[in-house]
């Protein structure tokens, strides 16, 4: 396997969105600019969502304006929760944002909680955002939120996830990431889903966005990697999680662990600088 086959998505947005105090805009800009030098495929830098729902992301437009993309190979990704947010992202992108990410939960309870729409309504949103992305030379990344189960008692088994992926693949979505939103994924389920999906949809780039307790991150990454997954989300120091899920027991996969597991080469000096800034941001 070549290194080029692996895509690492660094997610400062996921780390910041639920942080217990507001991170100043200038500090966000400095941190993300440092991340842009490391060598990640993509930086999930912000979101165009309601500031009432996620106040930490209210300054995403200002952050975007402050980013230096002149010498980076990394792409930018912004999360949107509806068509209006996608339109806002397109309006300010100026060809700077490559990807829009949409959280598509296959738990009805969580989709209502997260986007105030049913799954069926959200599917219509996906179609509209996909059309908007195509018109504006952007790509839509759909996250299958609660893709490995949910804590709400909504019906789940792996076949539920497969059915919704089939719906999304039919819309010509090129990137679909399975998200373990509350850290419940079991290795056998991870293996089953990726081993089934990757051969079935060769034109889709499947990713993994795992939330995990510190003791079991490796079994999740290993299960996905061994079945051919080559797109992984993580954050420096493993900070983050989903504030809408209200589960403080799980965070993101730590980038440091992922780099070691994959033997992935980055600019070590730039990484060290970003880690030092993270120590100042997340205190």
């Amino acid at each position: 396997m070549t290194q080029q086959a692996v895509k690492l998505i660094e997610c400062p947005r996921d780390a910041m969105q639920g942080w217990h105090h507001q991170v100043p805009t200038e500090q966000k800009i400095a941190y993300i600019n440092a991340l842009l030098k490391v060598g990640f495929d993509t930086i999930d830098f912000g979101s165009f969502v309601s500031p009432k729902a996620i106040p930490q992301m209210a300054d995403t437009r200002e952050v975007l304006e402050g980013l230096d993309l002149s010498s980076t190979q990394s792409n930018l990704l912004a999360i949107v929760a509806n068509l209006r947010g996608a339109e806002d992202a397109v309006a300010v992108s100026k060809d700077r944002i490559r990807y829009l990410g949409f959280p598509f939960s296959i738990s009805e309870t969580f989709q209502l909680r997260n986007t105030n729409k049913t799954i069926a309504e959200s599917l219509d949103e996906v179609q509209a955002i996909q059309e908007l992305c195509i018109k504006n030379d952007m790509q839509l990344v759909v996250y299958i939120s609660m893709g490995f189960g949910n804590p709400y008692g909504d019906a789940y088994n792996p076949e539920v996830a497969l059915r919704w992926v089939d719906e999304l693949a039919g819309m010509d979505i090129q990137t679909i990431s399975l998200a373990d939103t509350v850290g419940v994924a079991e290795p056998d389920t991870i293996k089953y889903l990726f081993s089934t999906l990757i051969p079935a949809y060769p034109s889709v780039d499947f990713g993994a966005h795992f939330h995990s307790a510190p003791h079991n991150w490796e079994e999740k990454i290993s299960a996905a990697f061994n079945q051919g997954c080559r797109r992984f989300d993580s954050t420096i120091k493993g900070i983050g999680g989903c504030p809408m899920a209200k589960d403080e027991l799980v965070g993101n996969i730590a980038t440091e662990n992922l780099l070691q597991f994959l033997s992935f080469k980055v600019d070590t000096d730039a990484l060290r600088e970003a880690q030092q800034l993270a120590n100042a941001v997340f205190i």
Side-chain angles (χ1 to χ4, degrees), residues 4 74-75 95 102 174 184 215 220 224 234 247 271 276 282:
Q4 288 71 25
S74 299
N75 301 294
D95 298 323
F102 182 85
Q174 297 181 7
V184 298
H215 70 277
K220 297 183 180 187
S234 64
D247 191 335
L271 176 62
Q276 290 173 350
F282 302 108

Side-chain angles (χ1 to χ4, degrees), residues 10-270:
E10 179 66 23
C11 304
R13 182 270 318 165
D14 207 355
M16 293 175 182
Q17 68 180 6
W19 197 241
H20 52 270
H21 63 77
Q22 187 76 21
V23 179
T25 302
E26 291 304 316
Q27 197 172 30
K28 290 180 183 178
I29 291 171
Y31 182 48
I32 297 170
N33 275 331
L35 293 173
L36 286 166
K37 300 175 183 178
V38 175
F40 300 111
D41 180 86
T42 299
I43 307 295
D44 176 356
F45 81 99
S47 60
F48 292 86
V49 297
S50 167
K52 292 182 180 179
I54 309 291
Q56 277 281 17
M57 294 294 105
D59 60 352
T60 291
R61 179 182 301 201
E62 290 76 17
V63 170
L64 177 64
E65 291 174 353
L67 298 183
D68 180 6
L69 304 180
S70 61
S71 60
T72 185
Q73 298 299 310
S74 299
N75 301 294
L76 292 181
L77 181 150
I79 296 294
V80 299
N82 50 42
L83 179 59
R84 179 179 176 180
E87 291 170 340
D88 289 345
V90 168
V92 302
S93 170
K94 300 178 182 177
D95 298 323
R96 292 161 69 83
I97 301 173
R98 181 73 183 109
Y99 299 106
L100 296 183
F102 182 85
F104 182 81
S105 178
I106 57 176
S107 156
E108 190 80 69
T109 301
F110 189 67
Q111 192 64 9
L112 285 165
R113 184 173 178 171
N114 199 30
T115 67
N116 201 32
K117 284 184 170 58
T118 66
I119 293 176
E121 290 169 337
S122 296
L123 199 63
D124 292 337
E125 290 285 288
V126 169
Q127 182 64 61
I129 296 170
Q130 169 74 338
E131 293 171 3
L132 183 69
C133 284
I134 291 172
K135 289 179 182 177
N136 291 277
D137 195 28
M138 302 169 84
Q139 290 188 25
L140 178 59
V141 179
V142 176
Y143 292 89
I144 305 293
S145 177
M146 299 290 174
F148 299 90
N150 64 83
Y152 308 113
D154 293 337
Y156 175 84
N157 60 61
E159 304 306 319
V160 173
L162 294 178
R163 178 167 65 86
W164 287 115
V165 169
D166 186 63
E167 289 273 0
L168 294 166
M171 297 181 181
D172 198 29
I173 306 298
Q174 297 181 7
T175 305
I176 298 174
S177 190
L178 301 182
D180 185 16
T181 315
V182 287
V184 298
E186 296 292 337
D188 287 347
T189 305
I190 296 170
K191 292 176 184 177
Y192 174 71
L193 286 174
F194 282 106
S195 67
T196 302
L197 291 170
I198 290 174
Y201 303 98
S203 64
V204 176
D205 185 13
F206 285 101
H209 182 104
F210 293 131
H211 292 173
S212 175
H215 70 277
N216 64 350
W217 68 269
E218 187 169 3
E219 64 185 30
K220 297 183 180 187
I221 295 296
S222 179
F225 183 84
N226 289 339
Q227 299 305 319
C229 179
R230 294 296 183 267
R231 179 187 177 93
F232 294 96
D233 293 11
S234 64
T235 64
I236 286 177
K237 300 177 68 174
I239 295 169
C242 181
M244 304 305 291
K246 305 298 183 185
D247 191 335
E248 298 179 358
L249 299 178
V250 295
N252 283 293
I253 300 293
T255 299
E256 294 87 343
N257 290 339
L258 195 55
L259 291 173
Q260 184 175 8
F261 177 90
L262 297 171
S263 298
F264 193 89
K265 304 300 182 184
V266 295
D267 185 320
T268 55
D269 291 337

